[in-house]
Amino acid sequence: MRLAVTLAAVSAVAAGAAVALASGAQAGSTLGASAAEKGRYFGTAVAAGKLSNSQYTGILDREFNMITPENEMKWDATEPSQGQFRYTSADQIVAHAQAHGQRMRGHALLWYQQEPGWAQNMSGSALRSAMMNHVSTVAGHYKGKIYAWDVVNEAFADGNSGGRRDSNLQRTGNDWIEAAFRAARAADPGAKLCYNDYNTDGINAKSTGVYNMVKDFRSRGVPIDCVGFQSHLGGLPPSDYQANLQRFADLGVEVQITELDISGSNQATAYANVVKACLNVSRCAGITTWGIRDSDSWRTGENPLLFDANGNKKAAYTATLNALNGPGSTVSTPPVSSPPPVSSSPGGGTGNGCTATVSLNQWDGGFVATVRVTAGSSAINSWTVTLPVPSGVTVTGSWNVTRSGNSWTNVSYNGHVEAGQYTEFGFQATGTASGLNPACSAA
Ligand code: G3I
């Protein structure tokens, strides 16, 4: 059972208070850094076969702090023969992310496309049990390494029905989606679990079908934490794009733009509008583009991405970066749902000008720690948290921080914190978190 522990809870900061950002701090100069200034991520789909291309990885590691494998975690890739799992390409991408401080979105555990041949030929209870075995095994393999999983992809029909898409998965019984979410939660209790789809970007029959499912899941305690909006667009996003994100966010789930690419002549404006909509929704956690350069796109000839085939920044890149650096709400995304924290203790490491507190999402074998640095009665310009990592714990990734051994120091954009305000950084680790006692010092 997942054990959620809140350590060293600190008072005095109103719920939902702004993550403090450097007022007048230098605007971010990369997509990832600028998104992080707003408490969000900026990601891209990655193909393992391109990781040996230095132009590709140069842009990837400079600009993006979240990675989705474009094809390598799909069913046909990870279980080509029934019961025989193959993770080589996907593991390569995860290793790259870990080596470069990037987080991972897992994509996708169950999807009616890209089923391996053996599954395409199955039905009924044999298929249902193969599906659940697949979810448990793959989510279990990546336990502790995935920020969010697309547990189910594209299960709703296009058009006006608002209902499910027919597929062999659907024909195993309407409850296949909730069964998949339950299996994924059991296998990786720390990962956020998402439903992901396309043509759900505005308020329409299909997105309303998804909305009703999410509402039902939330009311019945089916573990769903996020909804992915692919946003494969042919121009400006629909006028009710932000309102649609907001209605899902109001159900208590995180929303994510998961596969953004935009064709057409008003591409730059369209990208900016998508970014602004996300920044205006406090539970919009981040944006992922579906590839890096136009030449990497599945939409051959449409040039829908932010970099041209030579790796140069396009006008759409500049518009995206400017929008990320513009106004926007502070992110406030819900933690992985239930069970609630089982214990808490007051205190926290108060030091010279700042206080550090840690909250944990611990599961069997790993955890995510979120460290909050709160300035005292004066503004601070830099901070260091001393936080020894317990023995047996291996940090697999971190964000919004530079680590040197036990010292965790601010990065360029989050050193300045106004009096009484806070900023947060985090890390993911394998092992058991115990006795994490942070001490904070600031200048
Ligand atoms: O790698 C093989 C290659 O060995 C073979 O010679 C070639 C011949 O067809 O196929 C290659 O695999 C292709 C693969 O992309 C890698 O390029 C598959 O045929 C092709 O079907 C696959 O397309 C992917 C598609 O999903 C279907 O899985 C696209 O790259 C990928 O961008 C696209 O992504 C989807 C998301 O997962 C879900 N949402 C929609 C999105 C766009 O379709």
Side-chain angles (χ1 to χ4, degrees), residues 233-239 241 262-264 266-274:
L233 301 176
L236 297 178
S239 57
Y241 189 73
I262 310 177
S263 60
N266 46 11
Q267 185 179 58
T269 308
Y271 266 100
N273 289 358
V274 168

Side-chain angles (χ1 to χ4, degrees), residues 70-71 74 107 111 114 153-154 230 232 259 290 298:
E70 187 174 1
N71 290 301
K74 292 173 182 174
H107 173 82
W111 183 25
Q114 304 303 115
N153 194 42
E154 301 176 12
Q230 296 185 7
H232 296 294
E259 303 183 15
W290 205 241
W298 68 294

